[in-house]
Amino acid sequence: MTLLDALLAVSGRFCEARGLSAARTSTLVFGDGKVLTRLAEGRDLTTRRLELAMQWFSDHWPEDKATWPPSVPRPPRSVPAEGAAA
């Protein structure tokens, strides 16, 4: 599994769990609604943007609705989970 495959697997599971389109999720993660579609079509991404995206997904993961794909390493959260005591 490539790093882009891992990102697309995580984003796909996130979209399904949250009931969001790829375009909406792409806007939330990248500020551009076309990035995830472009990646699925074979375009590329810089390493830094990929790392930031994976961190975004880890920080915003819907723990109550989906499990992180087991074949994809998950970055540790950089922000407290929503609803967690500070």
Side-chain angles (χ1 to χ4, degrees):
M1 175 179 282
T2 68
L3 293 175
L4 285 177
D5 290 337
L7 175 62
L8 292 171
V10 168
S11 68
R13 193 165 291 183
F14 182 89
C15 289
E16 184 178 313
R18 290 284 192 198
L20 300 173
S21 67
R24 177 66 182 138
T25 300
S26 186
T27 298
L28 293 171
V29 176
F30 297 103
D32 180 341
K34 297 177 185 175
V35 173
L36 289 174
T37 300
R38 288 181 192 141
L39 294 175
E41 293 171 348
R43 298 284 298 269
D44 209 348
L45 191 68
T46 65
T47 304
R48 182 70 181 141
R49 286 189 80 192
L50 186 136
E51 289 175 343
L52 289 170
M54 293 299 278
Q55 187 64 60
W56 187 96
F57 282 115
S58 185
D59 291 346
H60 296 89
W61 194 255
E63 303 291 347
D64 58 331
K65 297 182 181 184
T67 57
W68 187 270
S71 60
V72 178
R74 181 177 179 179
R77 284 183 172 272
S78 64
V79 297
E82 292 178 19

